[in-house]
Amino acid sequence: MSTPVPNSAETQDHSPTEHELWKITLGELDEKMGVKIVEESVERVVATMPVEGNRQSFGLLHGGASLAVGEAVGSWAAVIHASTMGKTAVGVDVSATHHRSAREGLVTITATPIHLGGTLTTHEVLITNEIGQRLCTLRITNLLMRRHKQ
């Protein structure tokens, strides 16, 4: 499981305090997949991703792309919550159900909390198409832990 962490320049220049929410920083894979952040808060993280560039050989949205973006958005949501306690989060479990696919357009990825604890968080992550149809449902659990000095 990936752990979203600020890049080294950001860590040196600006490290969140216990009262400051962590701000999402896209990773290399997120950028290659064309992910864009729409909304970020403890209550909800929303991002978009184009289907184009993220298709498998049959021309459908790749299931691995759905898992990768779903895990990223769910982990970002967990890190934002963790930052309110001066902690960070690491993924410990993710599962997904693919309901339908897409051949084109933009998908929206929305993470909302199921459980926001002091040790564990669990988020539901929905991936929908442009007309709001559910393409994939993910559930991700993250362990909250002390931030390590970098």
Side-chain angles (χ1 to χ4, degrees):
M1 308 271 160
S2 63
T3 301
V5 293
N7 63 40
S8 59
E10 185 180 43
T11 302
Q12 293 171 359
D13 297 337
H14 185 75
S15 182
T17 66
E18 287 185 294
H19 303 290
E20 184 177 359
L21 295 182
W22 179 78
K23 299 300 281 177
I24 294 171
T25 303
L26 295 180
E28 294 169 356
L29 180 59
D30 309 313
E31 290 177 359
K32 287 179 184 176
M33 291 173 53
V35 175
K36 303 287 185 216
I37 305 305
V38 175
E39 181 182 333
E40 56 185 295
S41 70
V42 171
E43 295 81 22
R44 194 167 115 119
V45 173
V46 181
T48 61
M49 181 184 77
V51 173
E52 184 178 350
N54 294 300
R55 291 184 278 228
Q56 37 88 313
S57 58
F58 298 110
L60 302 171
L61 175 62
H62 197 292
S66 294
L67 277 161
V69 74
E71 181 182 10
V73 174
S75 291
W76 293 334
V79 174
I80 292 169
H81 167 66
S83 72
T84 67
M85 297 174 277
K87 295 180 178 183
T88 191
V90 295
V92 294
D93 185 62
V94 64
S95 63
T97 301
H98 302 287
H99 308 290
R100 63 178 45 199
S101 194
R103 292 184 178 275
E104 59 187 16
L106 198 65
V107 296
T108 299
I109 308 94
T110 305
T112 54
I114 296 171
H115 172 73
L116 294 176
T119 305
L120 287 177
T121 64
T122 303
H123 285 81
E124 178 179 63
V125 182
L126 301 180
I127 301 177
T128 57
N129 62 17
E130 292 175 319
I131 60 173
Q133 294 172 314
R134 187 182 295 229
L135 304 179
C136 184
T137 304
L138 292 93
R139 183 172 150 159
I140 182 167
T141 299
N142 282 273
L143 174 67
L144 305 188
M145 51 193 288
R146 282 190 334 261
R147 277 195 301 259
H148 296 282
K149 304 237 184 209
Q150 296 187 6

